[in-house]
Amino acid sequence: MKVYPFKIPKPVDEHLIVQIDKEPIFYNRLHQHEEIQISHIINGNGKLLVGDSVHQFSAGDTYVIGSNLPHIFKSIPQEKDAHMVTVFFTDKSFGSDFFMLPYFKDLKQFFFNATTGFKVITNKEIIAQQLIELQSQNRLKRFISFLELLENLSQISTEPLSSFIYSKTLSVNEGERLQEIFDFVLKNFQQSISLDEISKMAFMTPNAFCKFFKQRTNKTFFQFLIELRIEHACQLLSSKKELNINLVSDMSGFNSISNFNKKFKKLKGITPTQYQQSLLQ
DNA sequence: AGACCGCCCACTGTAAAATT
DNA sequence: AATTTTACAGTGGGCGGTCT
């Protein structure tokens, strides 16, 4: 399958695509598409890269990915298949003026939040239920439910996934290059990575690499790397609470606890142990 | 667009102290 | 005892400028 850009397979007269993914792992390429994507994770967990940011996803989460936002659900293989329900559509799916009609004024918040992508925080169950029910409904009912879903998504509180708005679509080459970089980093973040190393694998001089990465993601490579490592640490802390902090720091690619603590607090606002304790409640 | 240079500051790890 | 914070010094990365 082509890395970039991504085309959502669409029947000729279908405007609202409901897709079920149930495979050992999710599609593991960085990709972007015009369609806005609403995805509910039924099973599976891993890291979600959106634009310039790293998040952990797990079963029960619902995400909205805006138009042309590069993203990848990098799942951790498990005994059970990764499983998600997704709705694809564009603001033009029902005619270019459809969502401009005054009836949809209240959906403005949704479309605004979608541009950076967001995670559903409140009313999770209701929204998940609505998404799941879409699968089995006939077209008219599905359309009605879909509008209700958008209404709900406009009213809930959300958490943005990325701070950077992609104004342009990446070229195929740029996409492939970023894909290779992300692949490499996801495999190797537990060891130390130097600028020389990463730029060599991208076939660029260190300087060109810095500029390339910054330009496409709005953050430096090492900022991204730190965020990835801290997200990994969070995953460890939540899945294996018997691990001590020292070990978690090691396993996440940090060479000193002092640095790990510093970076953890800077990104999460609390110390690793506080984070661990907050999960127990 | 990428290569090369150079300055400056952010990040890194060590060690030790403070906090739980 | 384990974890977190602080101080400090050395280094590598960020980035502006300039050239190809």
Side-chain angles (χ1 to χ4, degrees):
Chain A
M1 206 159 353
K2 204 69 186 158
V3 179
Y4 253 75
F6 197 81
K7 228 20 206 169
I8 305 299
K10 182 173 87 161
V12 181
D13 61 344
E14 193 57 84
H15 308 97
L16 193 59
I17 317 292
V18 179
Q19 181 175 305
I20 312 299
D21 292 295
K22 194 157 189 281
E23 294 172 72
I25 57 168
F26 294 130
Y27 179 68
N28 67 341
R29 300 260 155 174
L30 182 75
H31 63 292
Q32 66 181 166
H33 41 72
E34 191 196 351
E35 288 82 1
I36 296 172
Q37 168 173 355
I38 307 174
S39 288
H40 171 68
I41 314 288
I42 297 171
N43 189 56
N45 62 80
K47 296 187 181 67
L48 166 62
L49 311 189
V50 180
D52 59 351
S53 307
V54 195
H55 308 268
Q56 326 168 33
F57 70 86
S58 52
D61 288 349
T62 302
Y63 296 95
V64 173
I65 315 281
S67 189
N68 285 321
L69 259 182
H71 59 280
I72 170 176
F73 285 89
K74 191 91 183 179
S75 42
I76 299 166
Q78 291 172 314
E79 321 82 63
K80 269 176 78 183
D81 276 358
H83 189 180
M84 82 174 144
V85 196
T86 299
V87 181
F88 295 106
F89 68 102
T90 72
D91 58 350
K92 309 267 192 306
S93 284
F94 314 103
S96 53
D97 296 332
F98 184 77
F99 284 112
M100 307 293 261
L101 293 172
Y103 308 103
F104 301 117
K105 210 177 75 217
D106 291 342
L107 299 185
K108 251 176 72 186
Q109 192 61 40
F110 168 80
F111 285 104
F112 178 75
N113 289 340
T115 53
T116 57
F118 65 84
K119 178 181 183 179
V120 172
I121 301 298
T122 51
N123 286 19
K124 286 177 82 161
E125 292 79 13
I126 296 167
I127 284 162
Q129 195 54 39
Q130 277 183 308
L131 262 167
I132 289 167
E133 280 170 4
L134 286 179
Q135 293 174 64
S136 51
Q137 290 168 336
N138 67 40
R139 292 177 92 187
L140 178 60
K141 185 72 179 78
R142 178 181 280 187
F143 182 66
I144 295 167
S145 306
F146 167 70
L147 290 178
E148 281 172 4
L149 174 65
L150 291 190
E151 183 189 19
N152 280 335
L153 285 170
S154 294
Q155 291 165 351
I156 55 165
S157 64
T158 62
E159 187 184 292
L161 293 177
S162 150
S163 52
F164 192 52
I165 297 171
Y166 277 71
S167 48
K168 60 166 190 190
T169 58
L170 301 171
S171 75
V172 174
N173 277 343
E174 287 172 342
E176 279 172 354
R177 190 173 272 188
L178 275 177
Q179 169 73 42
E180 280 168 25
I181 294 167
F182 286 140
D183 270 353
F184 179 83
V185 178
L186 283 165
K187 274 201 204 88
N188 295 294
F189 69 89
Q190 283 162 321
Q191 286 99 53
S192 33
I193 299 173
S194 73
L195 180 58
D196 271 342
E197 220 177 320
I198 188 74
S199 34
K200 259 194 203 110
M201 83 128 306
F203 304 105
M204 285 190 259
T205 61
N207 208 311
F209 175 78
C210 284
K211 280 179 182 162
F212 173 81
F213 197 90
K214 181 69 180 270
Q215 215 170 56
R216 267 62 173 196
T217 66
N218 200 35
K219 64 179 59 167
T220 68
F221 173 73
F222 287 90
Q223 260 176 296
F224 170 79
L225 180 57
I226 290 166
E227 284 170 30
L228 182 67
R229 285 173 167 161
I230 295 294
E231 283 306 324
H232 184 75
C234 287
Q235 222 156 29
L236 288 175
L237 288 170
S238 54
S239 63
K240 304 193 178 81
K241 62 177 197 291
E242 70 279 3
L243 287 177
N244 73 34
I245 305 296
N246 214 325
L247 202 55
V248 171
S249 156
D250 252 17
M251 292 167 72
S252 308
F254 289 90
N255 292 319
S256 70
I257 318 150
S258 90
N259 199 27
F260 171 67
N261 280 323
K262 213 183 299 179
K263 289 286 139 48
F264 195 98
K265 187 153 190 190
K266 191 176 170 194
L267 279 171
K268 294 286 162 187
I270 51 177
T271 64
T273 28
Q274 282 172 333
Y275 179 86
Q276 205 165 26
Q277 278 157 6
S278 74
L279 293 169
L280 298 176
Q281 286 149 32

